[in-house]
Amino acid sequence: MQNVDNLLYDKILKLCKGKLGIVMTEIEDRCEEGQGRQAYRVVEEYYRYEAALLASSAGKDVVKLAPKNMDDLEPYVITLRHNLSTIQQTEGKAPMTMTLELVKEKLQPNGDNSPFKSLAAVFERFEADGSKNLRVLLDRLRLAASSYKVK
């Protein structure tokens, strides 16, 4: 077993050189030479921490995103999907219900001066269908954005 530990330790350090200097330093501080399984745990901790930061950052972006007009709608939908995917991959699930409410709040037309008044039909149909699926709404919004650009 010691041979496996030694080999694992050497391989992890070789992989960490250059790109992952921070992790390599942490391994050298916390592990003695030849402790491959402990070195692996250090790498695993580092990436779990990084994943949490990534998900947190994506979550903040979801809340901050706000298109100003119809021209911004398609990039908004694409970025929103990307951030939700990032959260899903790192956390195991994404806050779909909260995000659905945020999207409605930011895009539902409120009055004749709204830059999103052409989306009224999209939201009416979504509500009429009784759907609570964020992906369905995002598909419809992206289609509306594409139709808007064609006009």
Side-chain angles (χ1 to χ4, degrees):
M1 191 61 156
Q2 187 58 44
N3 287 341
V4 172
D5 254 354
N6 287 332
L7 185 61
L8 183 59
Y9 183 84
D10 291 341
K11 293 293 181 186
I12 288 173
L13 282 184
K14 283 181 185 174
L15 289 171
C16 290
K17 277 188 180 164
K19 291 182 185 176
L20 299 173
I22 295 169
V23 179
M24 191 169 123
T25 304
E26 188 71 20
I27 291 169
E28 290 171 339
D29 289 347
R30 291 175 48 187
C31 306
E32 291 186 26
E33 191 169 334
Q35 292 182 329
R37 290 174 288 167
Q38 287 83 349
Y40 180 78
R41 284 189 201 105
V42 171
V43 172
E44 193 175 44
E45 282 176 25
Y46 174 80
Y47 279 105
R48 229 179 286 138
Y49 176 72
E50 287 293 308
L53 286 178
L54 188 60
S56 174
S57 175
K60 288 175 188 171
D61 286 348
V62 165
V63 173
K64 284 193 256 180
L65 280 174
K68 292 177 179 59
N69 53 44
M70 286 297 289
D71 291 327
D72 294 344
L73 184 58
E74 190 167 18
Y76 168 77
V77 171
I78 291 168
T79 304
L80 186 62
R81 281 193 171 172
H82 172 74
N83 287 336
L84 289 171
S85 175
T86 300
I87 294 168
Q88 178 103 31
Q89 289 171 2
T90 56
E91 297 290 317
K93 64 179 190 170
M96 296 300 192
T97 305
M98 179 198 75
T99 306
L100 177 62
E101 294 306 315
L102 277 171
V103 169
K104 285 180 180 179
E105 184 182 302
K106 291 178 182 187
L107 297 178
Q108 266 185 324
N110 53 359
D112 292 336
N113 294 334
S114 171
F116 304 110
K117 63 183 174 191
S118 62
L119 296 178
V122 172
F123 283 101
E124 286 172 14
R125 182 167 175 226
F126 183 76
E127 296 294 328
D129 291 346
S131 180
K132 299 286 183 204
N133 189 330
L134 177 62
R135 287 183 174 85
V136 169
L137 180 59
L138 293 178
D139 287 342
R140 291 178 182 177
L141 289 171
R142 188 154 186 206
L143 183 62
S146 298
S147 299
Y148 175 79
K149 286 183 178 182
V150 172
K151 291 180 183 180

